[in-house]
């Protein structure tokens, strides 16, 4: 599929289309680039999204950018993607920014923070609310150019071997939960561990861990987590709409002609819209299968647990904001936008969904 026919059929938003130049693509020797990912090969939603994005960029540039995708552990371990691209040993990675909070805690804001933004809200903040500019400033410190390229939608806090009836049940609990959600759990007495996706099932099956958060019904069932734990907790407190990212080595990106840079940017935006639709569709289908089969036992957080999750989340985010001058500015921008989004969502999505679900049509 050639660039012009692709754009005509892709249904990109006006904003995405406006970023793509009309003149012919700059010709020259095709650029062979390496993409490393934090995802298993061909993994539903995540690994597949990386492959689709590489294909989209190749087609939109008429082969001027040809990206070879390496899944987790094919070239480097999943949690070494950042350093590999920052150093120039690979050109691009596809992953989640909160994996790199050891580099800067501010990276958390560009994936998800507890009690944070939905997919639509983080899109609005990144594209229109000043988020991209702050993200560019942060990622440039590590010789990287960042683009949002996917979103899973609301995630669930995962699978638990035992029911959580009170805060005491979190004490000593070993749980796979990365990022700030994991830090909140740790402060409530749990032992939070970070495991790459393929390592979750064996750890839960072998009782190395007691609970595990991954993504949602579609991906959780693909890993078989529903077969090794009884209780499925909801709703999300840790990731209301986690974004995923395409990160390009800044020197390699700057070396591209302007029209190819714009195509990479537009392809990432198109991929973000496609991935959210993909996750939404398949989570709906997977949840229907999961509940039709008679398991698991769905549980909501008891209110005292939910209140304490929120209180501790506030502490964690305040400390994050104080961790550096840039983290403080990112937090201020994020929090100001979130405050306005909460008020709007109360009377828009929140109110509409409550009304719709109380009064389903025949």
């Amino acid at each position: 599929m050639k660039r012009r026919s692709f754009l005509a059929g892709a249904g990109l938003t006006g904003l995405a289309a406006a970023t793509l130049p009309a003149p012919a693509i700059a010709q020259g020797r095709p650029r062979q680039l390496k993409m490393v990912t934090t995802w298993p090969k061909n993994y539903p939603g995540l690994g597949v999204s990386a492959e689709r994005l590489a294909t989209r960029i190749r087609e939109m540039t008429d082969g001027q950018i040809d990206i070879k995708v390496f899944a987790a552990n094919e070239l480097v371990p999943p949690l070494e993607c950042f350093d590999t691209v920052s150093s120039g040993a690979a050109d691009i990675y596809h992953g989640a920014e909160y994996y790199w909070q050891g580099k800067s805690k501010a990276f958390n804001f560009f994936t998800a923070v507890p009690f944070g933004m939905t997919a639509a809200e983080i899109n609005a903040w990144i594209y229109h609310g000043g988020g991209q500019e702050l993200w560019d400033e942060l990622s440039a410190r590590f010789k990287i150019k960042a683009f949002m390229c996917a979103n899973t939608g609301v995630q669930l806090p995962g699978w638990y071997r035992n029911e959580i009836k009170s805060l005491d049940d979190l004490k000593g609990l070993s749980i796979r939960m990365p990022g700030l959600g994991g830090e909140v759990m740790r402060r409530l007495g749990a032992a939070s561990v970070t495991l790459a996706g393929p390592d979750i099932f064996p750890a839960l099956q072998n009782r190395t861990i007691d609970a595990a958060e991954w993504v949602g019904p579609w991906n959780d069932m693909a890993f078989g987590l529903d077969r090794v734990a009884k209780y499925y907790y909801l709703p999300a407190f840790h990731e209301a709409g986690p974004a995923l990212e395409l990160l390009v080595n800044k020197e390699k990106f700057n070396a591209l002609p302007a029209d190819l840079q714009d195509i990479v940017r537009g392809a990432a935006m198109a991929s973000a819209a496609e991935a959210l639709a993909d996750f939404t569709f398949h989570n709906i289908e997977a949840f229907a299968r999961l509940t039709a089969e008679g398991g698991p036992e769905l549980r909501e957080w008891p209110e005292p647990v939910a209140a304490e999750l929120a209180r501790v989340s506030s502490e964690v985010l305040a400390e994050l904001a104080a961790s550096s001058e840039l983290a403080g500015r990112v937090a201020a921008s994020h929090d100001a936008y979130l405050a306005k989004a909460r008020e709007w969502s109360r009377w828009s999505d929140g109110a509409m969904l409550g009304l719709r679900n109380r009064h389903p049509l025949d």
Side-chain angles (χ1 to χ4, degrees), residues 208-237:
T208 304
I209 57 176
D210 305 307
E213 174 272 350
W214 180 224
V215 180
W218 183 29
N219 294 119
D220 293 359
M221 292 174 72
F223 272 166
L225 302 185
D226 56 307
R227 301 198 305 268
V228 290
K230 180 178 181 180
Y231 298 101
Y232 203 18
Y233 270 81
L234 63 159
F237 79 91

Side-chain angles (χ1 to χ4, degrees), residues 58-138:
R58 181 171 61 251
E59 292 176 345
M60 291 173 72
T61 63
D62 287 337
Q64 289 300 297
I65 299 178
D66 188 12
I67 299 172
K68 181 173 177 56
V69 179
F70 295 89
N73 294 314
E74 286 190 332
L75 190 62
V76 297
L79 299 183
E80 292 182 14
C81 290
F82 184 98
D83 288 337
T84 302
V85 172
S86 179
S87 68
D91 308 301
I92 304 168
Y93 74 78
H94 192 289
E97 291 288 73
Y98 65 2
Y99 288 154
W100 327 122
Q101 65 172 325
K103 308 290 184 182
S104 170
K105 293 185 183 300
F107 278 120
N108 285 285
F109 287 105
F110 302 102
T111 295
V113 299
F115 294 87
M117 295 185 189
T118 66
E121 290 165 351
I122 197 169
N123 283 355
W125 177 58
I126 292 291
Y127 293 139
H128 299 289
Q132 185 69 57
E133 291 78 8
L134 289 163
W135 194 9
D136 286 343
E137 182 179 350
L138 173 62

Side-chain angles (χ1 to χ4, degrees), residues 142-226:
F142 300 93
K143 302 178 182 178
I144 286 173
K145 171 63 179 173
F147 301 98
M148 187 165 54
C149 68
N151 198 300
T152 69
V154 177
Q155 294 199 5
L156 299 186
W159 298 86
Y160 294 70
R161 288 189 170 277
N162 299 306
E163 194 169 4
I164 306 300
K165 297 180 179 179
S166 71
L167 289 166
D168 288 339
D169 293 321
L170 294 178
K171 299 187 188 309
L173 183 83
S174 178
I175 180 171
R176 184 273 178 192
M177 183 176 284
L180 300 181
E183 176 60 16
V184 170
M185 284 292 194
R186 188 189 68 79
R187 295 189 186 199
L188 291 175
S192 172
V193 298
T194 297
L195 295 172
D199 300 325
I200 299 173
F201 177 85
L204 195 57
Q205 183 182 45
N206 298 332
R207 299 181 181 270
T208 304
I209 57 176
D210 305 307
E213 174 272 350
W214 180 224
V215 180
W218 183 29
N219 294 119
D220 293 359
M221 292 174 72
F223 272 166
L225 302 185
D226 56 307

